[in-house]
Amino acid sequence: MTKQNKYTDSIRKHLRCFLCAPFFMVLEASGEFILPYLNADMIDRGVAVGNTAYIVRNGLLMFVTALAMLIFGVLGAYFAVKGSSHLAAEVRAKTFRQIQKFSFANIDEFSTGSLITRITNDITQIQNFAQTLLRGCFRSPVMLVGAVCMSFLLNPRLAAVICVVIPILGLATALLIRTASPRYTQMQKKLDGLNNQINETITNERVIKSFVREENEKEKFSAVNQVLMEKSISALKMMILMQPVSTLAINVTTLAVVWIAGRQIMIGGMEIGTLTAFITYLTQILTALNFLANIFLQGTRAAASNRRISEVLETCPDLTDESAAQKDRQITGGGIEFQNVSFTYSKKKDPVLKDISLKIAPGSFVGLVGSTGSGKTSLISLIPRLYDVSAGAVLVDGTDVRELSLTKLRESVAVVLQKNTLFSGSIAENLRWGNAQADPEELRRACRIAHAEEFIRRFPEGYDTDLEQGGTNLSGGQRQRLCIARALLKHPKILILDDSTSAVDMATDAGIRRALEKELPGMTKIIIAQRIGSVIEADQIIVMNEGRIEDAGTHEELIRRCSTYQEIYYSQRDEENAAV
Ligand code: CTP
Ligand code: MG
């Protein structure tokens, strides 16, 4: 996505706002230099000579001008707010859509906090700048040129003073902008840090409380908050400096003008009204300059934010199916093959899977065991393409998963992740994530297989029971069973359960497996388990060790020849015996 078309679409769509805002603001500005002229005229020709009719006529004219200015000003501001708000909303939507396309690896690269800052605060900076720009981009130059011309018209000698101030102010602004620009980027980065911290703390509030780590989290938060504050002060003081510098310029110039004009008035070469008008023009010139400087300063800030938004929009989601050759292919069988697969989470890290080759027949039941950290979750993540392989290929139904449509692939492969999540909403709503059209009978069938039906029935509101965010008002085992039912509702060809019955008692665990075998015999099942008992009847058990497949076979084969398997099996049997 190029830099231009990020904004051009929405500018084109709301062109009326983007044209009307500056137009009305220019109309308003024209009034600003007519008013002092009328005022000077009224003082010199009306007040000074006591011509009441002249005063009334000019006064009325001034009132009408002021009223028109008010209307134009309001209209200009309205269109500026409308245009910039639309612009921000559309860029925000675009950024959100892009983030939705991101893979886990893309999100890790930016960090969640940074993505939140970019989609909120950074876009707000752009919105503020667009609004200021729409209000001032023509108004300020028109005011500046107009007021300079008018002052030359009134008194060319006095006007020369202005020519000295303008370059000085311009130079000061340029210097301020140069210092401010890198500081803004720094400030946004610190805001990322703060959002990351908030995100982690709030998401994990339960764990924090259970470990009584509130104080610690408070300290961590104070630290990032403090850094952000320091960076903000350092960046914003540039903005604050702008105000006193221009006030000083106004005052010094006014003084110089009064000094020069005073002498002219004394010798009768100038009228009081002219001086009043001149000072008003002078103030207008400096206000316009101040506004222009502000546009530049805000522009610097917006430029930093713009770069950060572009980074998101220009990042290629590293996991797409845009170039997939067999997009229309449906998955019908459910056979899986790993061909010399290696995988690493990031280029900087060592591979967590090394040269894995493996075949899983359609409809078979495969168990996956191995010590913690041996790469079981990583292995199964490659099947629905939660990550892409670093080398080799994963085939489903004989086709490389990268050649298939992502949607079709993920519809056919249901994974109950080790770290599963439910969402706020009723149990039925959560189950329908698996299949939005599922009727109550289908929900019940899936829950029967997952052995969730009996506990749901015990809830007074049954399937309409509301879950809290993350399903925290359920027990661990209940949550796991609902997640299995949700996965079953997808009618997958391949079902992967990653330690999904760890919190369920052994009898229920066995019951779920039997129901799966009986009710869904054609579905390929991969079950990762800590307990050998959970996979003992599998057609094939894969033993993983340090990112490699150590052995694969049936329980009888492995117990004879695989030492790691024997170790796990006998240690668990001894534990069970000890428990009895
Ligand atoms: N890993 C990583 N980055 C991740 C996830 C995992 O670098 N986002 C690493 C871990 O440090 C680990 C290895 O990948 O050394 C394998 O992790 P995993 O596949 O999750 O291991 P499992 O066998 O699933 O371990 P467990 O039984 O504990 O679930
Ligand atoms: Mg795991």
Side-chain angles (χ1 to χ4, degrees), residues 313-576:
L313 291 176
E314 284 161 18
T315 295
C316 283
D318 64 7
L319 220 156
T320 64
D321 57 2
E322 267 156 32
S323 55
Q326 307 197 35
K327 262 193 186 160
D328 298 327
R329 217 189 129 123
Q330 294 289 351
I331 293 160
T332 46
I336 304 162
E337 188 176 351
F338 280 69
Q339 291 177 341
N340 306 99
V341 169
S342 293
F343 171 64
T344 162
Y345 279 99
S346 89
K347 289 183 189 76
K348 284 166 249 149
K349 289 191 193 162
D350 290 337
V352 294
L353 296 176
K354 295 155 211 154
D355 198 25
I356 303 260
S357 290
L358 168 72
K359 263 191 181 162
I360 296 172
S364 63
F365 168 21
V366 175
L368 196 53
V369 295
S371 57
T372 167
S374 56
K376 304 181 294 292
T377 301
S378 311
L379 182 89
I380 55 98
S381 303
L382 302 178
I383 303 170
R385 266 190 98 194
L386 299 182
Y387 291 94
D388 264 338
V389 296
S390 311
V394 176
L395 281 62
V396 168
D397 266 3
T399 312
D400 191 323
V401 285
R402 288 167 292 191
E403 298 294 312
L404 295 167
S405 127
L406 259 183
T407 317
K408 292 207 171 85
L409 175 69
R410 289 183 185 165
E411 270 167 8
S412 316
V413 182
V415 190
V416 179
L417 289 170
Q418 203 166 10
K419 214 179 135 192
N420 54 45
T421 324
L422 292 164
F423 291 82
S424 44
S426 70
I427 290 184
E429 276 164 9
N430 266 280
L431 291 171
R432 286 203 174 95
W433 272 61
N435 175 6
Q437 272 83 44
D439 58 37
E441 181 44 45
E442 251 180 291
L443 297 189
R444 276 197 292 276
R445 176 168 179 256
C447 288
R448 255 198 316 276
I449 301 175
H451 283 58
E453 172 122 88
E454 43 95 20
F455 79 80
I456 298 175
R457 277 225 195 110
R458 268 190 273 125
F459 291 142
E461 290 176 70
Y463 284 83
D464 296 324
T465 306
D466 265 322
L467 299 187
E468 283 166 21
Q469 196 184 357
T472 38
N473 51 342
L474 292 179
S475 78
Q478 289 171 338
R479 217 161 38 226
Q480 286 186 332
R481 282 178 273 172
L482 272 190
C483 289
I484 297 176
R486 178 177 66 182
L488 289 176
L489 278 159
K490 277 170 80 173
H491 300 298
K493 293 279 172 282
I494 300 169
L495 174 73
I496 303 171
L497 303 182
D498 187 352
D499 222 357
S500 310
T501 49
S502 56
V504 176
D505 62 81
M506 276 202 238
T508 312
D509 180 20
I512 296 173
R513 256 177 298 116
R514 266 197 305 277
L516 284 174
E517 273 306 320
K518 192 167 148 249
E519 305 266 343
L520 304 157
M523 184 174 69
T524 311
K525 293 165 277 292
I526 303 179
I527 296 184
I528 300 180
Q530 301 294 343
R531 290 194 292 251
I532 295 274
S534 304
V535 294
I536 206 159
E537 296 147 8
D539 303 318
Q540 184 182 203
I541 302 170
I542 297 159
V543 184
M544 291 208 58
N545 191 13
E546 292 180 8
R548 291 181 195 279
I549 294 184
E550 188 168 307
D551 207 342
T554 59
H555 171 70
E556 284 71 29
E557 287 163 357
L558 291 174
I559 204 76
R560 255 186 280 128
R561 62 169 193 236
C562 177
S563 57
T564 312
Y565 188 79
Q566 288 163 355
E567 217 172 276
I568 307 174
Y569 179 69
Y570 289 119
S571 68
Q572 287 185 357
R573 207 181 58 172
D574 293 345
E575 262 175 44
E576 274 165 35

